[in-house]
Amino acid sequence: MAEITLSPQRRAALLEKISNYMDQELERPVGQFEAEFLLDFISRELGPSYYNQGLHDAQAVVRQRIELVLEDIEAQEVYPD
């Protein structure tokens, strides 16, 4: 898996979420550097697990759809009388 890269806008939004969470939920205000450090850690260490789960979820959806297509194809079979 390639390194997770975020658009500048998405990164800024996530940094704001981290800062707000730390301040409101943990009563631990963090600066920009700390928030960036935490986001990089989460992306590097936890991101692959979420990415892999997304792949597994996508595979399950594709498998279900393939099964439906195969059922539709089987329904088109013609048998002589």
Side-chain angles (χ1 to χ4, degrees):
M1 180 181 112
E3 183 178 327
I4 295 173
T5 56
L6 304 167
S7 70
Q9 298 84 2
R10 185 69 183 138
R11 185 171 176 84
L14 291 173
L15 289 171
E16 184 175 341
K17 286 180 180 271
I18 288 171
S19 294
N20 289 340
Y21 178 82
M22 295 296 289
D23 186 31
Q24 295 171 6
E25 299 296 326
L26 302 178
E27 297 178 359
R28 169 84 166 76
V30 295
Q32 181 74 18
F33 176 77
E34 292 168 313
E36 287 184 17
F37 184 78
L38 185 54
L39 178 58
D40 290 342
F41 171 80
I42 291 169
S43 296
R44 184 180 63 250
E45 299 298 327
L46 305 180
S49 294
Y50 289 106
Y51 177 84
N52 290 341
Q53 184 61 51
L55 290 178
H56 292 292
D57 293 347
Q59 287 173 348
V61 169
V62 170
R63 279 190 185 104
Q64 289 174 338
R65 293 195 178 172
I66 288 173
E67 285 297 320
L68 292 173
V69 169
L70 292 174
E71 289 173 10
D72 288 344
I73 291 170
E74 285 180 20
Q76 301 303 312
E77 289 182 0
V78 177
Y79 298 99
D81 294 332

